[in-house]
Amino acid sequence: RKRLQPLIDAGLTGMSLSTDEYHQPFVPLERVEIAARVAEELGVNVGRMGTPADRVMFRGRAADSLAPGKEDDRAAWQTFTSCTREKLAEPGRIHLDRHGMLHLCQGLAIDSARNKPLAEALQGYDPKSHPIVRLLLDGGPARLAQAAQTHGFVPRDDYVDECHLCYEARKHLRSRYPDYLGPAEAYGETDAAPALAR
């Protein structure tokens, strides 16, 4: 209740809780059920998400852990010219991690809410001035990869999907945009439990 109430006060009306085999090692199901019960008692609509292996999007840790084993249907980086998985211009949902970062997509942050009210952080989002989102809107992950090339990124010709390319380009750019690309766990940089799965 203590964690949910400030989010509700800022306008939270629904939330999704991950329950699949990829999250269970880090988040026991009993914790998910406690969070769901309390949220529902507070009037929040709760959904439980479980991603079957054949519907994985290769972003975040899935790009590092699962993409190497998926050998079919790979494509050249230049073919991924749009982001079809997230509504970056007008997001209908966001992720909030344990560090206080607000994510449009895992590891792609709007801003950090740690030092400001949540509503203020959300209102301050401008996709045209966001250094990563503006590139994705301009030409998808291929445009982001092209920009990352000026900083030494070398894209390959065998990406599983657009998320795979986007993740690798963002991972390369992380040190240049730490307020927008993080936390470290989302990029496999620590041994800590995944921030977005807690």
Side-chain angles (χ1 to χ4, degrees):
R1 289 176 188 278
K2 182 178 177 183
R3 291 182 184 218
L4 283 173
Q5 195 60 58
L7 300 175
I8 293 167
D9 293 344
L12 178 72
T13 59
M15 59 190 263
S16 299
L17 301 169
S18 298
T19 60
D20 55 46
E21 64 183 279
Y22 304 110
H23 291 83
Q24 287 177 21
F26 306 103
V27 185
L29 282 176
E30 57 269 15
R31 289 188 185 173
V32 173
E33 291 308 318
I34 290 169
R37 179 178 48 79
V38 171
E40 288 167 345
E41 288 172 4
L42 293 172
V44 175
N45 293 320
V46 176
R48 290 165 181 80
M49 298 185 313
T51 304
D54 64 340
R55 296 199 58 222
V56 169
M57 289 179 270
F58 294 89
R59 55 176 118 171
R61 296 172 311 279
D64 289 332
S65 303
L66 304 176
K70 185 167 174 55
E71 299 303 325
D72 56 332
D73 297 328
R74 291 184 174 250
W77 68 273
Q78 298 94 332
T79 63
F80 299 109
T81 58
S82 64
C83 175
T84 62
R85 308 280 176 96
E86 299 290 352
K87 297 177 181 175
L88 299 174
E90 295 181 21
R93 65 185 177 101
I94 58 166
H95 308 263
L96 174 64
D97 74 18
R98 67 186 175 105
H99 301 286
M101 293 182 83
L102 299 171
H103 299 257
L104 298 158
C105 174
Q106 291 85 347
L108 176 59
I110 291 175
D111 194 354
S112 170
R114 286 175 287 195
N115 298 320
K116 61 182 83 165
L118 183 59
E120 181 182 325
L122 292 172
Q123 290 171 353
Y125 174 62
D126 176 12
K128 293 177 183 168
S129 65
H130 190 289
I132 306 301
V133 171
R134 68 180 167 78
L135 294 170
L136 292 170
L137 292 174
D138 183 46
R143 177 68 183 94
L144 180 63
Q146 185 181 38
Q149 284 180 297
T150 64
H151 302 291
F153 179 63
V154 180
R156 303 185 322 272
D157 287 332
D158 64 343
Y159 291 96
V160 176
D161 64 10
E162 69 209 50
C163 297
H164 188 195
L165 171 59
C166 185
Y167 168 75
E168 289 201 356
R170 287 189 282 126
K171 188 173 183 178
H172 185 83
L173 292 170
R174 236 181 73 60
S175 64
R176 294 185 174 278
Y177 301 101
D179 291 337
Y180 299 100
L181 301 174
E185 299 95 291
Y187 292 90
E189 295 177 13
T190 69
D191 292 328
L196 294 173
R198 286 198 171 187

